[in-house]
Amino acid sequence: MDLFTLTAAQLIRLIASGKASVKEIADAVRSRLKETNGKTNAFIRSYADELVRSGPCPIPIGIKDNICVEGREVTCASRILKGFHSPYDAGVIEKVRFSGGILLGGLNMDEFAFGSSSESSSYGIIRNPWDLKRVPGGSSGGSAAAVASGAAVWALGSDTGGSIRQPASFCGVVGLKPTYGRVSRYGLIAFGSSLDQIGPLTKDVTDCATLLKIIAGYDERDSTSVAVGVPDFTKALQRDVKGLKIGIPKEYFIEGIQPEVLTAVQAAVDFFKKEGAIIQEISLPHTEYAVATYYIVATAEASSNLARFDGVEYGLRSLPDKARKSGIVDMYEETRAKGFGKEAKRRIMLGTYVLSAGYYDAYYLRAQKARTLIKEDLDQAFLDCDIILSPTAPTTAFMIGEKVNDPLSMYLSDIFTIPANLAGIPALSIPCGFDANRLPIGLQLMAAPFAEEKLLATAFAYEQAHSWHLERAVI
Ligand code: GLN
């Protein structure tokens, strides 16, 4: 049996019974990483020198390259951060180390987490382990591809508009975006500060619950961190969904969804019904504004967050041709022109535009109002249901290059994942089938703020009655 195919729960049992050592496991996963990375390009760099520490969960874990690790280069897959070494560990990294986690390396991603396909990285595109001609989703494409190929047992990703859930769906793994404030953003390089959350990507729901428990918890260094207790999420996992109220939002079942995705999601609904859950159609009337709202709020925050990358404090500094130009403004311009890729520039321009005098009221302020309406739709829905169920993405993994020159169609692939970020609620994606090309399909479940236990329990009940999560990509 190949150790890299196992879940953390299985590996921990092997260690406890003396059948495998922590070192054997770390070696097996590291050699799998070496074997597959030439094909997937999931990792930007690996840490061969990480120490194996003691702790309850000595699990090899990959880190998305927008999460700071002390002494390591952290780049957000952007040229502008090349050579930047973090002086400190992110809050989640401290916690992972404390649990005994073995840091494998920095995972590739869309530049600054802008994207849904992992094609905007300055370290090259990432490939989907299920079909190397296809994208793994994005922006945490490296995180999902690493877990799906066995190059990491666990991965950390970040989710601003779907960046954990959509790649999890495309790569057939479990991905969870926690409630805003549940996991510390200290040391996460900010994209959209009011939307960003770090979360786990794992092979199954049990591992997801275990990793969430490790990384969750109040952190005074993140002013939006919420002081709520961290339950043992694994204890909440159970198979009984009798009486659980599941809402199906009619606005999510729109034209353009791949028929196989619809069939798989419908089968999941039928399963819950058969198990005694109460299925009810609900309405989230402002859904149609979610994508537009997100791309105003997220780009506005991104343009402001990215202003700090100017060649002075971090990474790349590009000096202009002395004969032609001089002065600090020229240095800023030169550095930013060379350092940022095309999508980053597009976002900075869009975000600056919607915040500028004369347009602020028409775009940014309006988007904030629409955001409130979208959140109120969800608040209202959760008065009468426990879980909201939908597809994670309208399609399975698309071809590399298919959407790269069509930003609008790329933005639309986030249509079902964005509302959870705008509302700050927890949401996850679990595998729920395959299409005719044997590409994984993802099921999204959402819950009220801080209802992760209910969310994970519902996902667990589904997972235990199916075997999708046991399938592995052959690569
Ligand atoms: N795909 C979305 C975007 O391009 C979401 C990205 C994310 O969640 N980081 O903004």
Side-chain angles (χ1 to χ4, degrees), residues 64 110 112-117 138-140 158-164 166 191 196 294-295 298 343 347 410-411 413-414 417-418 421:
K64 187 175 179 179
D110 275 304
F112 281 105
F114 300 151
S116 311
S117 68
S139 66
S140 311
S158 67
D159 192 312
T160 307
S163 273
I164 290 175
Q166 185 254 21
F191 160 6
D196 298 339
Y294 169 82
Y295 276 96
E343 183 62 22
R347 305 261 177 146
M410 189 78 91
Y411 295 176
S413 64
D414 305 324
T417 48
I418 278 172
N421 301 79

Side-chain angles (χ1 to χ4, degrees), residues 391-458:
T392 305
T395 65
T396 55
F398 44 87
M399 289 295 209
I400 289 166
E402 192 179 323
K403 297 191 188 214
V404 83
N405 293 318
D406 185 357
L408 190 60
S409 118
M410 189 78 91
Y411 295 176
L412 286 173
S413 64
D414 305 324
I415 194 154
F416 304 137
T417 48
I418 278 172
N421 301 79
L422 290 172
I425 61 173
L428 60 70
S429 178
I430 44 167
C432 72
F434 288 90
D435 72 3
N437 293 319
R438 208 176 141 67
L439 296 169
I441 301 171
L443 175 74
Q444 176 174 249
L445 303 174
M446 298 187 264
F450 297 101
E452 277 90 348
E453 286 170 280
K454 204 184 275 178
L455 189 63
L456 287 160
T458 309

Side-chain angles (χ1 to χ4, degrees), residues 166-186:
Q166 185 254 21
S169 157
F170 280 16
C171 292
V173 300
V174 176
L176 168 77
K177 181 201 88 74
T179 307
Y180 186 77
R182 170 73 91 177
V183 174
S184 169
R185 292 183 298 111
Y186 176 74

Side-chain angles (χ1 to χ4, degrees), residues 23-280:
K23 185 172 179 316
E24 272 162 9
I25 292 167
D27 288 348
V29 176
R30 284 200 176 111
S31 68
R32 178 66 175 167
L33 190 166
K34 277 205 194 97
E35 180 192 3
T36 54
N37 212 50
K39 295 180 193 160
T40 61
N41 199 25
F43 278 88
I44 295 176
R45 73 189 78 77
S46 58
Y47 312 145
D49 55 341
E50 266 296 313
L51 296 177
V52 174
R53 293 177 184 69
S54 61
C57 294
I59 298 302
I61 179 169
I63 311 296
K64 187 175 179 179
D65 209 38
N66 58 355
I67 299 172
C68 288
V69 179
E70 187 182 340
R72 303 287 187 185
E73 195 180 8
V74 182
T75 66
C76 289
S78 177
R79 278 189 301 277
I80 208 156
L81 275 170
K82 201 157 177 37
F84 168 70
H85 286 70
S86 174
Y88 61 88
D89 272 341
V92 291
I93 298 296
E94 290 172 348
K95 286 174 182 285
V96 165
R97 287 193 201 276
F98 192 67
S99 75
I102 302 162
L103 308 187
L104 289 169
L107 287 160
N108 205 353
M109 56 186 278
D110 275 304
E111 183 180 10
F112 281 105
F114 300 151
S116 311
S117 68
S118 297
E119 292 168 291
S120 71
S121 165
S122 71
Y123 289 85
I125 59 169
I126 309 169
R127 295 174 183 276
N128 190 317
W130 292 91
D131 177 350
L132 297 171
K133 295 187 297 304
R134 291 177 187 267
V135 304
S139 66
S140 311
S143 309
V147 173
S149 60
V153 180
W154 284 348
L156 290 180
S158 67
D159 192 312
T160 307
S163 273
I164 290 175
R165 289 160 287 155
Q166 185 254 21
S169 157
F170 280 16
C171 292
V173 300
V174 176
L176 168 77
K177 181 201 88 74
T179 307
Y180 186 77
R182 170 73 91 177
V183 174
S184 169
R185 292 183 298 111
Y186 176 74
L188 169 69
I189 299 176
F191 160 6
S193 308
S194 76
L195 304 156
D196 298 339
Q197 270 291 286
I198 296 173
L201 290 103
T202 58
K203 290 177 183 138
D204 69 6
V205 174
T206 305
D207 274 16
C208 180
T210 308
L211 183 50
L212 180 63
K213 178 166 180 280
I214 292 172
I215 62 172
Y218 177 66
D219 183 348
E220 62 182 14
R221 298 163 300 183
D222 167 3
S223 62
T224 60
S225 171
V226 178
V228 289
V230 180
D232 184 346
F233 297 105
T234 55
K235 294 237 166 73
L237 304 180
Q238 44 134 326
R239 287 159 210 245
D240 187 10
V241 293
K242 217 165 273 137
L244 188 80
K245 289 188 183 163
I246 300 182
I248 316 288
K250 63 170 192 259
E251 291 82 2
Y252 280 45
F253 291 82
I254 46 169
E255 234 174 89
I257 302 181
Q258 189 178 325
E260 291 148 301
V261 171
L262 271 184
T263 312
V265 170
Q266 187 54 49
V269 173
D270 295 342
F271 161 78
F272 283 116
K273 196 186 247 168
K274 190 181 92 238
E275 293 295 303
I278 301 158
I279 309 291
Q280 46 203 29

